[in-house]
Amino acid sequence: MQRGLITHLSHFVLGLVLAQASADLPMCKESDYHFEYTECDVLGSRWRVAVPNKADTCTGLPDPVKGTQCTFSCSNGEFLDMQSQQCQKCAAGTYSLGTGVAFDEWDDLPAGFVTQGMTMNEGNAHTDCSNSTWTPKGDYVASNTDECTAMLSYAVSLKKPGVLAFEYFYPDNSIYFEFFIQNDQCQSTDSESRWMKISDNNWSQHRVELNKGNNVLYWRTTTYALQGSAVKPVLLRNIRISGVAYTSECFHCKPGTHSAEQGSAHCSPCPADTFSNKGATVCHECEKDKYAEAGSGSCKPRPACTNSDYFYTHTPCDSEGKTQLMYKWIEPKICSETVEGAVKLPASGEKQTCPPCNPGFFVSNSTCEPCTNGSFSNGTVCTKCPVGTEPVVGFEYKWWNKMPTNMRSSVFHQEFTWEVAGEYIYTTPGNQDTDFLMLTLSVPGYRLPQSAVKDSERSELSRITFVFETKCTADCRFYFLAGYNQWNNEVVEHWTGSNRKQSYSYVIQSNSTVGFTWTFQRTTFPYCVADVAKIYSISITNVIGGVASQCRRCPLMSVKAGSACVPCPPGHYMVNGSGACQSCLPNTFIRADQPVGEAACIQCGPNTKTNKAHTACLSDCTLAVQTRGGSLQRYNFSPLANVTGFHSSPRFTIKGLRYFQRFSVGLCGTESRIPASCVDNVTQSGREVRGYVCQSTVVPSDIRSQSVVSSQPFLVGDSLIGATTKTTLDSISSPDSLFPAASGLPDLFIYFLIPQSSDTTQACKKGRSAAIRLRCNPSVTAKDHITLPSNCSEGTCDGCTFHFLWQSQHACPLCTKNHYREIVSACIQGIQRTTYVWQHPLQCYGGESLPAQKVSACVTLDFWLKFGVSTGTIAAVLLISISCYFWKKTRKLQYKYSKLMMSSGGKECELPAVDSCAIMEGEDAEDDLMDLTKKSFFTKIKSFSREVSNSFIPLFFSSGGNDIMWSRSCDLELTHFLKRCFCNKKK
């Protein structure tokens, strides 16, 4: 109870304090507060409440009152008076859109707009981008030009579906500019509508429908200027939004505009030489010694006229072949001729001799007319091309009597133009930095001459060459652009400051490149009107509908039926002056830009073969290398022939923006191969280059809902020079120091080139080239293991020659029998296995496969041991038997001899006479029988069989005319005979 009493007392005291504080504040005036409506309820009603402009500054605010229905709105030129809650007309000098809001004054950032700078998601998080914002510039707001992302946003609540419209100027494709919307469900617009188109020479308009409810509008830019060139910012103005219920105030007309009546929906600009202040109802004329451009808020003093305030031009030639020199003031004229030191406009009308017609034209009724098809001219008369030749069709402008029909000049924001001056065409003076003086040449397309080869791999479709000169007292820039029309093109080359008279050529390789633009800009303030660019001549070849200045023979390819050309077959050249066709040497090709004759035949490089059309050399992805030992190693890297893409290591700009260099490589292949391509997916041009090796710049980004954006594509190599193991070929060198070798196998080199004639820049006078080093690495299974030199992380050290190391198992020589060895196992159970294994380290791939294991029958050691023992045993028994036999035989002979000795009576050398050495029939062979009784059974059988067989073999001897039959059993008598002979000899 006490606690409740204390609480009531505290509330009472607080009320007294607040009442005392309110009593101390002054009463609120109408300027101290403003009215706002509360949110609409379910019945569509709301309340009007007073909201103080500053808190705790006054008291006594009006009580809330019932407001208008939520469907209430005001018309154009009206505003809602919140005091009376009625629509009132805007006063003169102001305007309103009724159910919309407009922002066309940018002295400061209007209320509700928010801008901030940020880094890209892939950029350096430590980069300071806080100052990279959209900046108000009076009539417009400009984006940043550094490598940060600048965001401009505005939130608006619509009571009904509305429309957003704004104007933008987007001249530089180095900036990525997008616009998108998020509603109260956080749903973004489609990516297709986010990307802003490059502006032409005027401000572009963009219109988007908005949904009912809360909408947040975003304008975002990111610069990717990787080459340090100056970038033009994106400009934004005249933002208008419809669909709001009302506007509670009218907008004052900005300086240079006015509205004379009440209820105006817009303000009108003041005409030239008039001005107005903010909220003006009328425009005021400038004083006579001052001037003002249209829509100016003030007048400027007229400067004294100088020689740079006028220019001269030529009138068309008259019937006498004369032209008049005419002088004109630059319009609008802002200088004064009456100021001290001012120059007068020179008198016009001086006659000069007309320059001749340009080549390919002839004079007809004081005008230049083009020669008909099949004829040529030097600017005077047309002459038919001889039989067997064809006209060299194109355009050549070297005399400037009037602007050619397919050329026109224009400029941003001013009426200055390029003017003809007889021997050249030049830029007229200008005095603003937005003066891009542009000269545009448009062509309908190209057609190769009959003598050229229509080869998709390498053909010079056309070539444009021009001679120019720039003279600048201050900084200026001269650009040459090429693209698929006059406004959507890419910068090919640019020059800064004064440049001597010089020639530049550009090779056209796509039939879609039909627009060429020369742009001159003065970039340093104060802008010197005396800065000038001159073009002396322009020539472009192979143009459809062009004219010819000369004819040439058709020595190369076939022609259509009915053509006057008599071409040579593929691989032949025409002998100069004779028209006869002569065959080129084997494995040579003919390039269309080479002179007619034997010099047109160019030898293919090592390990390459000419194509069927004899216009280029190709590699079939194979190579044969003679090693130091005399053996031949063969390579087949056809699995690497498919187009391969890879990125360099990340690079960072000064602001921390991360980017990569993406390379696309088509290593080798036949005529049906798919070339490598690099494309620009940022701009609408979609520029694409095709060849063997190309490069583009890739930036990780969330712009346009893409993970990466690719731009600035260019070719690195479009002609195959050769494949070899040498580090130098045709002035292209790949030092070993770039990629130190890790094995004893030699590296393979594939060399590519863009000929000097088709890719000459100020940096690469001899054109670009590439050397791809293939290195055997059996452990690499990926087909795209390509690296760049460590000391040249972008692939090139000089910007002209690019080096790559491609490690792969397919870069190893094909396997042969020399790359494996055999292992023979022991004989196990009569089976022996032969296994084949690769030699280590293995430095081959493919080729011959490893042979399967072989199984063969064999004899074990136990068998041979048993066989040896058995054989030895049999030999020993046989040897013993033979020894016993001869021992028995010796005993027998000894016995017979002893018996003979005994019968001789003991007298040496006297034996009984033998009457016959044959055994007569019935005679008993006693000795033999006696001997047989003492022999073994085996010996007896052997002796008996011998005697039986030999007893039937008669032998005859002649002695004194008597024939004596000799038998095997007469050996005893023979012994006696020999004994007697021996004894007689001894006596």
Side-chain angles (χ1 to χ4, degrees), residues 669-845:
T670 59
E671 294 183 76
S672 60
R673 71 179 185 88
I674 300 176
S677 64
C678 296
V679 67
D680 181 358
N681 68 351
V682 177
T683 61
Q684 285 187 329
S685 65
R687 179 170 174 261
E688 183 180 13
V689 296
R690 289 175 173 268
Y692 280 99
V693 186
C694 63
Q695 175 192 317
S696 59
T697 300
V698 174
V699 181
S701 172
D702 58 356
I703 290 181
R704 302 173 60 194
S705 301
Q706 296 183 5
S707 58
V708 296
V709 291
S710 175
S711 63
Q712 302 175 3
F714 65 88
L715 277 174
V716 175
D718 67 346
S719 300
L720 177 61
I721 302 303
T724 180
T725 56
K726 297 180 180 180
T727 58
T728 301
L729 181 65
D730 289 352
S731 74
I732 306 175
S733 180
S734 178
D736 291 333
S737 58
L738 295 176
F739 304 103
S743 66
L745 285 177
D747 293 335
L748 307 182
F749 297 88
I750 314 296
Y751 293 97
F752 304 95
L753 177 69
I754 296 183
Q756 177 181 358
S757 58
S758 60
D759 185 53
T760 301
T761 62
Q762 289 183 328
C764 303
K765 299 298 183 181
K766 296 183 179 180
R768 297 189 184 95
S769 58
I772 298 181
R773 181 187 293 249
L774 299 178
R775 177 169 293 173
C776 172
N777 191 339
S779 63
V780 177
T781 58
K783 294 183 179 180
D784 56 352
H785 189 71
I786 306 176
T787 55
L788 302 175
S790 58
N791 56 339
C792 304
S793 57
E794 294 190 1
T796 177
C797 301
D798 58 4
C800 300
T801 302
F802 291 78
H803 305 275
F804 309 95
L805 174 62
W806 195 333
Q807 299 185 66
S808 173
Q809 58 188 3
H810 301 291
C812 298
L814 297 178
C815 294
T816 63
K817 295 181 179 179
N818 298 328
H819 291 95
Y820 62 82
R821 58 189 177 91
E822 64 179 20
I823 299 177
V824 181
S825 66
C827 185
I828 301 175
Q829 295 181 354
I831 296 176
Q832 189 175 53
R833 303 177 187 272
T834 303
T835 306
Y836 298 90
V837 295
W838 295 113
Q839 294 182 356
H840 290 284
L842 181 62
Q843 293 183 329
C844 70
Y845 185 81

Side-chain angles (χ1 to χ4, degrees), residues 511-532:
N511 225 333
S512 61
T513 307
V514 294
F516 305 94
T517 302
W518 294 265
T519 300
F520 184 66
Q521 181 193 19
R522 305 171 181 93
T523 58
T524 303
F525 187 85
Y527 308 107
C528 183
V529 295
D531 293 350
V532 64

Side-chain angles (χ1 to χ4, degrees), residues 74 87 89 146 178 206 225 227 232 390 404 492 514 539 552 633 656 674 700 871 920 953 974:
C74 294
C87 292
K89 289 186 177 182
D146 56 19
E178 63 174 338
H206 191 69
Q227 298 178 353
K232 300 292 289 185
E390 61 178 340
V492 175
V514 294
S539 64
R552 62 181 171 189
Q633 286 185 337
I674 300 176
T871 305
M920 299 300 175
I953 301 175
L974 177 61

